[in-house]
Amino acid sequence: MAHRDRAAVPHGLTQVATVNEMLIDRLLPDFDVTLIEHTVVETDVATTWAAREDLDLAQVHTPLLDAALFVRDVPAKMRARSGRADPAPPPPAELKLSGDGMGLDGWLILGEVDEREVAFGAVGRFWQSDIQWYDVTEMTPEQFAAFDEPGWGRIAANFSLRPYGEARTLVSYEARTATSDPDSARKFARYWRLVRPFVGHIMRAALAALAREAQERARRSVRA
């Protein structure tokens, strides 16, 4: 049974069969862990969705997030300086969940339903100190859903929007992770116990940035 932590492009998947079906349920229905964060944005769904399209996740910063990312990169930087590995590529200047791709190794956009949900994911060995990402350049959403190669894990995540009254929007951010074999599952379980609070912090920071962007968009619309 999947463990739930909380109560937790190619646009290959763009249609839902029922009002309740979600893309993420088709992409990764069975998983080891999931984490879900929510926020209520003081703008309607259309405005919130437009802000989501413009949200640049590369610009999401908090003191804890910046410090944790710095510490996370130290092992790779040390290996590069000693000549035991090539320098890590710089982080992307922009990271938006729109267009044909995310511009981030191992990650791909898996589909969207307009003004309702955008799904994205990755394949990698992310429990290692030096993360290895699977080449997903040519991977389709259907191939992602069927992927079961031993030694790798999958992350499927989404932003989903629902009306919350007449003029507000409930935004949910979910991240699910699944491994393909018992050894990878054990390694990931140890890693997850350490990083779960950090992952939740990142998700809450992204939701806060989205809320700010949506509310600023609404203010600009009123002033126009």
Side-chain angles (χ1 to χ4, degrees):
M1 179 181 294
H3 171 63
R4 296 179 183 272
D5 276 318
R6 226 176 172 188
V9 249
H11 297 294
L13 298 176
T14 58
Q15 301 296 324
V16 291
T18 71
V19 70
N20 293 319
E21 186 178 4
M22 309 221 7
L23 297 179
I24 197 170
D25 290 333
R26 294 160 61 185
L27 293 161
L28 198 61
D30 301 311
F31 43 87
D32 300 328
V33 298
T34 183
L35 188 61
I36 307 174
E37 298 287 346
H38 309 275
T39 193
V40 174
V41 181
E42 301 293 327
T43 58
D44 61 23
V45 169
T47 302
T48 307
W49 181 260
R52 193 282 309 164
E53 291 179 318
D54 287 341
L55 178 65
D56 184 0
L57 294 174
Q59 301 305 313
V60 175
H61 297 285
T62 71
L64 175 60
L65 174 55
D66 292 345
L69 289 175
F70 175 81
V71 172
R72 185 72 174 83
D73 288 341
V74 166
K77 291 176 180 177
M78 295 292 290
R79 284 190 293 272
R81 288 177 181 175
S82 68
R84 289 179 290 149
D86 294 330
E94 184 178 87
L95 185 54
K96 293 186 177 182
L97 301 178
S98 58
D100 293 332
M102 294 182 63
L104 193 62
D105 286 347
W107 290 82
L108 69 163
I109 295 176
L110 294 167
E112 69 176 53
V113 177
D114 191 43
E115 297 191 0
R116 178 166 175 180
E117 181 185 5
V118 59
F120 53 104
V123 180
R125 296 186 176 111
F126 29 80
W127 49 83
Q128 300 180 166
S129 60
D130 189 8
I131 296 176
Q132 289 180 269
W133 295 110
Y134 195 91
D135 183 3
V136 296
T137 306
E138 303 298 327
M139 184 177 286
T140 66
E142 291 76 16
Q143 289 169 333
F144 176 91
F147 185 91
D148 63 354
E149 187 174 327
W152 298 91
R154 286 176 295 160
I155 302 170
N158 75 342
F159 284 94
S160 61
L161 281 63
R162 296 292 185 276
Y164 197 76
E166 294 184 359
R168 296 192 292 172
T169 303
L170 174 66
V171 183
S172 300
Y173 184 2
E174 180 174 7
R176 301 177 180 181
T177 305
T179 50
S180 302
D181 60 277
D183 184 55
S184 297
R186 285 191 295 270
K187 293 175 180 177
F188 173 72
R190 292 194 295 268
Y191 170 78
W192 182 246
R193 285 194 292 270
L194 294 174
V195 304
R196 181 188 180 281
F198 175 57
V199 173
H201 176 81
I202 293 174
M203 294 170 72
R204 291 189 295 273
L207 288 172
L210 173 57
R212 289 192 298 270
E213 173 66 28
Q215 289 158 17
E216 177 57 31
R217 177 179 288 269
R219 285 191 290 269
R220 290 196 302 266
S221 177
V222 170
R223 291 195 298 264

